Amino acid sequence: MLEHLDISLRCLIGAVFLAACIGKVGSRASWREFVASVAAMRVVPARLVPAAAYAVGLAEAAVVVLLLLPPTGRLGHLLAVLLLVAFSGGIAVTLRRRTRVACRCFGAAGAPLGRRHLLRNGLLITAALVGVTAGGAGGGVAPAGVAVAGVAGVVLGLLFVRFDDIVELFVAPPARPGPGIRAGRRGGPEQAHRHDDATVPPR
């Protein structure tokens, strides 16, 4: 059981950090936007922003490499925890300052940094800590078990990557009445239409 959990969590955290790394370095525009977001957060001195951005990219790539093999899986999870804690601290500082900064965690333009991102990081930290516990479990796993556990982990990881989109499905503002539709106690589109018809003078 622990062996399957170890595989799933390594794939989950690995997929998240792989997507984050590729999203940042996939194009020059994505990289510039990420560096600009680090500068906008104002959590490191301006002169250190480029170095901090490179350090984040390299550390994310290191997490993926360490999680590839069971012997180094625990180190990968621990590095992931350290990075996620650092990211969460930066987000918390940004929110406290009421600074509006777009989330560039995965390179593409995302929603402004908010509590949802602290929640996402908290869930990932929990998963990585569980991975530290499950890592190094003895015993072999059948190929079918490896495939199932791996696919499950990757799917969960992709859900975290699309976390903003998933949250938007539940917190999207309700649709407002369009032009010409009157709101009232009894007012629906049909009633508003009838009211308008009633005001048309006879021919």
Side-chain angles (χ1 to χ4, degrees):
M1 182 65 180
L2 283 179
E3 293 84 357
H4 294 85
L5 183 61
D6 175 38
I7 295 170
S8 290
L9 291 176
R10 284 194 289 119
C11 289
L12 188 161
I13 301 297
V16 170
F17 277 84
L18 179 61
C21 186
I22 292 177
K24 292 179 180 68
V25 304
S27 67
R28 291 183 179 180
S30 296
W31 179 253
R32 286 196 300 267
E33 290 172 353
F34 170 63
V35 174
S37 69
V38 174
M41 292 175 70
R42 294 184 293 135
V43 293
V44 295
R47 67 180 183 278
L48 298 179
V49 166
Y54 279 113
V56 169
L58 290 174
E60 289 178 341
V63 169
V64 177
V65 173
L66 289 172
L67 290 173
L68 286 176
L69 299 174
T72 57
R74 283 181 173 175
L75 290 177
H77 284 304
L78 287 173
L79 181 56
V81 169
L82 293 177
L83 285 172
L84 290 166
V85 169
F87 296 159
S88 298
I91 294 172
V93 170
T94 302
L95 294 180
R96 188 161 55 247
R97 292 174 177 167
R98 299 182 182 277
T99 304
R100 187 179 178 85
V101 180
C103 175
R104 305 292 184 182
C105 305
F106 299 101
L113 291 174
R115 294 180 180 178
R116 70 178 68 177
H117 300 105
L118 292 176
L119 172 61
R120 179 184 65 192
N121 287 356
L123 293 173
L124 288 171
I125 289 171
T126 301
L129 289 175
V130 174
V132 173
T133 303
V141 181
V146 173
V148 172
V151 170
V154 170
V155 170
L156 288 175
L158 294 178
L159 291 178
F160 275 105
V161 172
R162 308 304 301 180
F163 192 80
D164 278 344
D165 295 332
I166 295 172
V167 171
E168 288 296 332
L169 294 176
F170 298 95
V171 300
R176 295 181 179 179
I181 299 179
R182 301 181 180 182
R185 288 183 181 176
R186 298 176 302 167
E190 183 180 354
Q191 290 177 337
H193 178 70
R194 289 178 180 175
H195 179 76
D196 291 341
D197 288 346
T199 61
V200 177
R203 295 182 181 179

